Amino acid sequence: MAHAQPRESAATLRAEAEADGSLRLRIAGRLDARSTGGAWRAAERALEQARPRRLVLDASGLDYCDGSGVALLSTLRRRQEAAGAGFELVALRPELAPLLELLDPPREPPPEREAALPLVERVGRAAAELGQQAVALVAFMGECTSALGWALTHPRRVRWGDAAFVAQRVGAEAAGIVALVGFLFGLILCFQSANALQRFGAEVFMADGLSIALVREMSALLTAILLAGRSGSAFAAEIGTMKVNEEVDALTTMGIEPVRFLVVGRVLAAVAMTPLLSAVFGLFGFIGGGLVFTSFGYGAITFVNRAVAAVTLGDLLGGLFKAFVFSILVSAIGCLRGLQTGSGPSAVGLSTTRAVVSGIVLIAVADGILAVVYSTLGI
């Protein structure tokens, strides 16, 4: 003969008005998917009738509570807060409190806004931070120089496979965008210069100006800017992710220098590929400019002859040297920003942004210095 199973106690709710105008709701039994609905309706009726200034929810008799019961407790709290009334939950069993915090975590007060600093102090702090960044950059460049010297004296210990993989990403995979920008730049530069030269009947000099601009300046400069946006940011993101995941710390713990392991291959790849990308930029710039030149009735042979005659060996070597310098700066600053990555969800994105901005600024500064040096040397 089967014995009937005892029925588990359902939730009961009793409302008690207190002298100070508050309402005490005593919940007992089990708040589960079956019993919560009735308790919820009873609680809503009690609140509609009393409209208390303060609600005290007494859970001392609560034996069990699942997700639906937690939803009831959270809803009562939010209703009181929305009405500007008080709420207090008392005698909740310790094992049930984490469920309530999971659904409705305690709200922290918003952080107080810092008082605006005086202008002099803000300028001073910015200058101090700029000085610290300059010192860190100089120190890192020295460390990179030492690591590159070590690579030249110990070529068998360099990770050439990784360097070749990085060179493929920096060089071959970037050739398309470099060629496109170079073609458009040559096209636009010739169109813009033609508008001014037509007034003097000197359209033929478009070839001279384009060739000098590309070989001496723009090929190396714009290629380096593309490298900063494409490869420098990638270096910062890769190394920054490793820093966040504590992989860089693991290398240091194993006695492996991060600069030699992570930076040398990337810098070598950038140094090898940037002059070639600069040449690709210049080649497609000439093609774009040549199309505009021939549209004015001149022959392609005239364009080639004038372009070659306008450029000297010093112009070519000066442009390649600029590409070499820019490649070191951009790749090194990308790796440095990656190694400087902090912690937190936005750390890698911040390092990537700083790598691009710092790379472009360094390119502009280095280009200005080289322009003064070239002018002084008569190059």
Side-chain angles (χ1 to χ4, degrees), residues 283-305:
L283 174 62
F284 279 85
F286 279 120
I287 293 175
L291 291 177
V292 177
F293 186 84
T294 55
S295 67
F296 284 88
Y298 298 99
I301 299 299
T302 303
F303 175 79
V304 173
N305 290 336

Side-chain angles (χ1 to χ4, degrees), residues 190 193-194 197-198 200-211 293 296 298-299 302-307 310:
C190 277
S193 60
L197 294 174
Q198 273 183 325
F200 308 99
E203 299 94 335
V204 71
F205 290 102
M206 283 189 296
D208 303 62
L210 176 66
S211 60
F293 186 84
F296 284 88
Y298 298 99
T302 303
F303 175 79
V304 173
N305 290 336
R306 294 201 64 87

Side-chain angles (χ1 to χ4, degrees), residues 207-260:
D208 303 62
L210 176 66
S211 60
I212 295 174
L214 285 175
V215 173
R216 287 182 61 92
E217 183 70 26
M218 303 311 298
S219 292
L221 180 64
L222 295 182
T223 301
I225 293 176
L226 291 174
L227 179 68
R230 188 182 184 279
S231 301
S233 59
F235 293 168
E238 292 168 357
I239 298 178
T241 303
M242 296 179 66
K243 185 71 180 297
V244 171
N245 294 335
E246 299 182 352
E247 296 177 31
V248 176
D249 296 335
L251 291 176
T252 305
T253 303
M254 292 186 293
I256 301 175
E257 294 186 13
V259 174
R260 293 183 182 180

